[in-house]
Amino acid sequence: MKNKKNSLGVRLIQLFAAISIPLLSVLFAGGYYAKENVLAQVSRSYQNLVNSNLKMMENSLEDITINLVDIVDHDDNFLQFNRPGLTDSEYYFARMGIMQRNQAYQAYYHSVDMFYLYSGVNDTLTLSNVLGKTEDYMDEIRVWITDKVHNEDNLEPLRYKWTIVKIAGDYYLNRTVGNYLSNPTYIGALIRIDSMRSPLGNLNLQSGGDVLIVDNEGNILTSPSESMGYDFKLPREKLNQNSSFSYTHDGLKWFVVSSQSSTLGINLSVVIPDSELLQGLNTFQMIINILPFFILIILLVYLYYFRRMVIRPILDLLGGIHRIRKGSMETQLPSSNLLEFQALNQAFNTMVVEIQNLKIDVYEERLNAQKAEMKHLQMQINPHFFLNTLNIIFQLADLKRFELVKKTVRHLVQYFRFMLQVKDNSITLGQEIDHLRNYLEIQKMRYQQSFEFQITIAEELSHASIPSLIVQPFVENAMLHGISLKAKIFCLEISAVQSEEEPGTMIIEISDNGRGSSPEKLQELNSPDYAPATDEGHIGIWNVKQRLAMIYQGRAGIHFSENKPSGFRVRLSLPIEYIEGER
């Protein structure tokens, strides 16, 4: 105590200096390059987004090409379609078969605006429907396609790759595949370039920003925002760099993040006004400069109050401990204004009075209680159940069963709200049963017709007090160890009634018709000294036994037995007690 350099107060000041000085230095230094760092982060973020979306476009178009080639090479309807001499019905059904396949594919790949089919034998052109387009617009598309398929020179550039074309004032990507024999037959796909940026439509850009698709010359193929103007054009020499750059047009500076597709001949670009991008950074720079001074003031105030509220009571406690070590058993600590230190001082004073009578078994009992409580808390949330429930929700959403999705989510929310909010040692039996009903409803969603459950509870027992989560481990064990989807329907029953043999006692039974358990295992579970061999083996049963023994001191019981003709039965005997004000 004489060495002031090793005192808690001196060490606290040293720690304060060791933390505050580097922190303030870092904050000051960070303010000078924060703007460049933010710009770099924004650039990388948009670059990754642009690259991934462009890659998705390429993969989608490659899949569409594979589908077109597969139709030409292997589809029976297409192979029949270009044969001369077909009857009207044969031609009709072959044409409809091809278009139905394309429409199904179009429903899967939403980016395809139109599939078209041309028969050289009959000189007929068939188009899939395009939602929202007028008949005049469709006529212009028919004229364009007819002009291409009737002119070999016009059709040649469209055969081997996706090509940018302009129809009725809109830019499209076109791919045509077919046989080029004496009776040529073609199938093709048209994708409006403006619709290809729809995956980025929800991107939260600053005011005036936009997502553009441009050709390799820098010409915009999509509708630009009003702030850009119709003469807006990106520099050709910077588009092939696949990076971010600044660009000035009509006196306005723009920040551009672009990526080029060599196979499609297009560039996907995110364009943001430079003024909007940097709008918040100047304020950020000022905040960074002022922030160290606020932090310094806060730390100084914190140091003062920390010393007053924590260091002084600790020093008083240390002084009392030293006096106790010297044999001064009459030592008493003064009362404190803080509840924590007040409780600590009272506990210290009580310890001094009773120190000679303290028994080691009290400590062991507390350790056992803490261990049981810890294992009880560890079992409260089952990650496998959570993941299985999320998988159920995903499958229901995929099937568009939105009402079932909402029902499952509601049960899941109520289930975890109860698990996370239950803090009291005692709850009502009705609350426990409602919680179990949420759990079983979710399991019902999972196993469907393979699982049934029934809950029966005497009305007078709904407000009876029981230890929290005392029934759940047995229900979970039944679902985990009893259910077998290869057998008959798995039935689980939960009941709660007053005991006829023992007045003032309730009987809670959990039974199922599952796989049951061996006589040896039942004998082991019913043993008073039962303990699981591993932390994973029936730890919930051990936990319930420990808690009941601690709470009821022998007034409660658990019995495990077979459920004739097959299955497992758990019988809980608990005293009927009520929480004050609940009866």
Side-chain angles (χ1 to χ4, degrees):
M1 295 294 293
K2 295 181 179 180
N3 190 352
K4 298 296 184 179
K5 293 183 179 180
N6 293 327
S7 68
L8 184 60
V10 173
R11 291 298 177 89
L12 180 62
I13 294 175
Q14 293 175 346
L15 179 62
F16 171 80
I19 294 176
S20 61
I21 293 176
L23 177 62
L24 296 175
S25 301
V26 169
L27 287 174
F28 275 114
Y32 293 100
Y33 64 87
K35 185 178 299 185
E36 288 75 15
N37 188 42
V38 170
L39 285 176
Q41 293 292 337
V42 170
S43 175
R44 282 194 293 269
S45 176
Y46 280 126
Q47 191 69 58
N48 293 335
L49 184 65
V50 168
N51 290 341
S52 61
N53 276 271
L54 190 61
K55 186 64 177 177
M56 290 173 58
M57 290 181 190
E58 292 177 346
N59 293 339
S60 177
L61 294 179
E62 183 178 356
D63 289 344
I64 296 170
T65 301
I66 293 173
N67 177 64
L68 295 177
V69 173
D70 182 72
I71 291 175
V72 173
D73 293 340
H74 304 103
D75 191 278
D76 293 335
N77 289 321
F78 188 89
L79 296 176
Q80 184 180 6
F81 189 73
N82 62 1
R83 295 174 185 166
L86 293 178
T87 64
D88 290 341
S89 61
E90 289 174 339
Y91 170 79
Y92 173 80
F93 284 113
R95 177 169 60 87
M96 292 304 298
I98 299 171
M99 294 309 295
Q100 287 176 357
R101 173 174 175 175
N102 283 333
Q103 288 174 353
Y105 201 82
Q106 187 176 1
Y108 182 76
Y109 286 98
H110 300 288
S111 57
V112 179
D113 291 278
M114 175 188 293
F115 283 99
Y116 59 87
L117 179 65
Y118 173 76
S119 171
V121 177
N122 301 296
D123 192 23
T124 57
L125 176 66
T126 304
L127 307 178
S128 62
N129 293 328
V130 179
L131 296 178
K133 297 301 180 183
T134 64
E135 191 61 29
D136 292 338
Y137 189 95
M138 297 296 293
D139 289 339
E140 291 191 54
I141 294 178
R142 291 188 184 94
V143 170
W144 182 88
I145 297 174
T146 303
D147 178 68
K148 298 300 180 184
V149 298
H150 284 167
N151 190 320
E152 187 69 15
D153 294 334
N154 293 338
L155 186 62
E156 184 66 23
L158 307 178
R159 290 180 176 178
Y160 305 107
K161 64 178 182 179
W162 288 93
T163 307
I164 300 174
V165 298
K166 189 173 184 180
I167 307 175
D170 292 329
Y171 287 97
Y172 286 84
L173 279 175
N174 175 82
R175 182 64 194 270
T176 304
V177 182
N179 64 62
Y180 313 108
L181 304 176
S182 58
N183 296 311
T185 303
Y186 306 105
I187 186 171
L190 281 171
I191 301 175
R192 198 161 67 94
I193 293 180
D194 209 26
S195 66
M196 295 178 67
R197 58 178 180 171
S198 57
L200 295 173
N202 295 326
L203 189 62
N204 186 18
L205 299 175
Q206 282 81 357
S207 176
D210 203 354
V211 177
L212 302 178
I213 297 179
V214 301
D215 60 18
N216 290 338
E217 298 299 323
N219 299 310
I220 300 178
L221 306 180
T222 55
S223 302
S225 64
E226 295 181 0
S227 59
M228 296 179 184
Y230 290 99
D231 60 339
F232 188 87
K233 184 177 181 180
L234 295 179
R236 171 185 177 184
E237 63 277 5
K238 292 186 177 181
L239 290 176
N240 58 2
Q241 297 177 2
N242 289 340
S243 62
S244 60
F245 58 91
S246 295
Y247 172 62
T248 302
H249 177 77
D250 289 342
L252 296 178
K253 192 174 182 180
W254 302 83
F255 180 75
V256 182
V257 179
S258 181
S259 183
Q260 185 178 84
S261 172
S262 57
T263 58
L264 302 179
I266 61 174
N267 298 265
L268 182 61
S269 303
V270 174
V271 183
I272 306 172
D274 199 74
S275 59
E276 293 290 331
L277 185 66
L278 300 177
Q279 184 177 13
L281 294 183
N282 293 327
T283 304
F284 175 75
Q285 180 77 42
M286 183 179 65
I287 293 175
I288 287 295
N289 291 333
I290 299 176
L291 184 61
F293 298 99
F294 282 103
I295 292 179
L296 179 60
I297 294 173
I298 291 172
L299 288 176
L300 290 173
V301 174
Y302 170 79
L303 178 63
Y304 170 78
Y305 281 102
F306 185 85
R307 180 176 178 82
R308 181 177 177 180
M309 292 187 298
V310 178
I311 301 300
R312 287 183 181 177
I314 290 177
L315 292 176
D316 292 339
L317 179 59
L318 290 175
I321 292 174
H322 282 286
R323 290 192 294 273
I324 291 293
R325 290 179 61 184
K326 293 178 180 180
S328 181
M329 300 304 297
E330 69 280 0
T331 300
Q332 293 287 300
L333 295 180
S335 180
S336 174
N337 294 328
L338 295 177
L339 294 178
E340 293 79 4
F341 281 108
Q342 183 179 355
L344 182 62
N345 293 348
Q346 290 176 357
F348 178 85
N349 295 336
T350 302
M351 179 193 69
V352 173
V353 175
E354 301 178 353
I355 193 169
Q356 298 299 328
N357 301 320
L358 191 61
K359 302 295 183 180
I360 192 65
D361 57 334
V362 175
Y363 289 104
E364 293 176 349
E365 189 67 18
R366 290 179 180 177
L367 290 175
N368 289 334
Q370 292 175 357
K371 184 177 180 181
E373 184 65 16
M374 179 62 68
K375 292 180 178 179
H376 164 65
L377 293 174
Q378 290 173 346
M379 294 183 59
Q380 285 189 355
I381 296 181
N382 188 334
H384 298 291
F385 168 71
F386 181 58
L387 294 177
N388 287 336
T389 305
L390 290 182
N391 187 46
I392 293 171
I393 295 172
F394 174 81
Q395 293 176 358
L396 292 174
D398 194 47
L399 295 172
K400 301 185 184 303
R401 303 290 298 275
F402 299 118
E403 289 299 321
L404 293 181
V405 169
K406 292 192 291 184
K407 180 180 179 182
T408 306
V409 171
R410 182 171 62 252
H411 287 304
L412 184 64
V413 169
Q414 293 172 349
Y415 175 85
F416 280 110
R417 179 181 290 122
F418 180 88
M419 295 294 284
L420 295 174
Q421 291 182 350
V422 61
K423 296 179 181 178
D424 299 331
N425 291 328
S426 298
I427 60 174
T428 65
L429 178 60
Q431 290 173 325
E432 178 88 352
I433 293 300
D434 290 341
H435 170 62
L436 292 175
R437 185 174 284 108
N438 286 319
Y439 172 82
L440 293 174
E441 286 290 350
I442 295 173
Q443 296 289 12
K444 177 66 176 177
M445 291 292 181
R446 178 182 178 186
Y447 294 107
Q448 300 295 319
Q449 290 82 6
S450 300
F451 170 60
E452 297 289 342
F453 71 91
Q454 181 178 356
I455 298 177
T456 305
I457 175 174
E459 183 177 355
E460 64 271 17
L461 297 179
S462 62
H463 296 292
S465 171
I466 64 171
S468 62
L469 301 175
I470 208 72
V471 183
Q472 177 179 329
F474 302 108
V475 176
E476 290 182 346
N477 280 342
M479 296 302 303
L480 180 63
H481 302 291
I483 194 167
S484 175
L485 298 179
K486 296 181 181 180
K488 58 184 179 180
I489 296 175
F490 181 69
C491 297
L492 179 67
E493 295 183 6
I494 303 173
S495 64
V497 297
Q498 294 193 44
S499 174
E500 298 179 356
E501 295 80 15
E502 300 180 34
T505 301
M506 74 174 83
I507 304 298
I508 303 175
E509 287 193 349
I510 304 96
S511 60
D512 63 70
N513 64 343
R515 290 175 288 191
S517 186
S518 64
E520 294 78 11
K521 188 63 179 180
L522 290 174
Q523 183 178 0
E524 178 186 355
L525 293 173
N526 287 314
S527 173
D529 300 324
Y530 167 74
T534 64
D535 287 344
E536 290 77 23
H538 294 289
I539 189 66
I541 296 176
W542 179 88
N543 182 26
V544 171
K545 282 193 169 186
Q546 293 293 315
R547 295 173 65 203
L548 291 181
M550 292 171 54
I551 295 172
Y552 293 109
Q553 301 294 320
R555 295 183 296 136
I558 306 178
H559 182 71
F560 304 89
S561 62
E562 293 181 277
N563 185 32
K564 302 295 183 180
S566 66
F568 193 78
R569 181 185 299 272
V570 182
R571 179 186 176 95
L572 292 173
S573 301
L574 304 177
I576 300 178
E577 298 175 350
Y578 292 91
I579 300 175
E580 185 176 357
E582 286 290 337
R583 189 169 185 176

